[in-house]
Amino acid sequence: MSLRNIELQIAIPKTYEAGKTVEQHQQNVIQQQINAHEALKKEIEKKQLTVKDTEKVDKISEDEDNDNNEQNMSKKEKQQKKKQKEAQHPFKGNFIDFSG
């Protein structure tokens, strides 16, 4: 199958355009991979930094921790006493009848 001169005038530019399109597509794919890789790096770095930040927050002195525990215990005790008062029935369980 031979090509005539007129056909070659059309075929060669089309081949050049097709090659250009394929090259652009490959470049886009490579650029997308690079962007995804950079985004992944940033996300990993961000996660690593957040872990380090939370470790700093967890450091509380023992004095502050003990004070907080005492306050919480007193609040809990007050709440329990209040619940017990509310739970008492006005006349049930207050008088025991031994005549019987």
Side-chain angles (χ1 to χ4, degrees), residues 3 7-8 11 17 19-22 27 30-31 33 36 48 54 56 58 60-61 63 68 74-75 85 89 97 99:
L3 295 174
E7 291 174 346
L8 285 175
E17 290 174 12
K20 208 175 194 185
T21 306
V22 169
Q27 290 297 323
I30 291 170
Q31 189 62 37
Q33 288 176 349
Q48 288 174 344
T54 55
K56 293 176 185 175
D58 288 340
I60 299 175
S61 68
D63 296 334
N68 290 337
S74 63
K75 287 180 184 178
K85 285 183 181 179
H89 199 274
D97 186 15
S99 65

Side-chain angles (χ1 to χ4, degrees), residues 31-64:
Q31 189 62 37
Q32 288 174 351
Q33 288 176 349
I34 290 171
N35 290 341
H37 182 61
E38 288 176 5
L40 182 64
K41 279 173 127 178
K42 286 180 183 178
E43 184 178 341
I44 290 171
E45 184 177 336
K46 182 179 178 182
K47 285 181 181 179
Q48 288 174 344
L49 291 176
T50 54
V51 170
K52 289 180 182 178
D53 288 340
T54 55
E55 288 175 359
K56 293 176 185 175
V57 173
D58 288 340
K59 295 180 181 177
I60 299 175
S61 68
E62 292 180 16
D63 296 334
E64 292 176 2

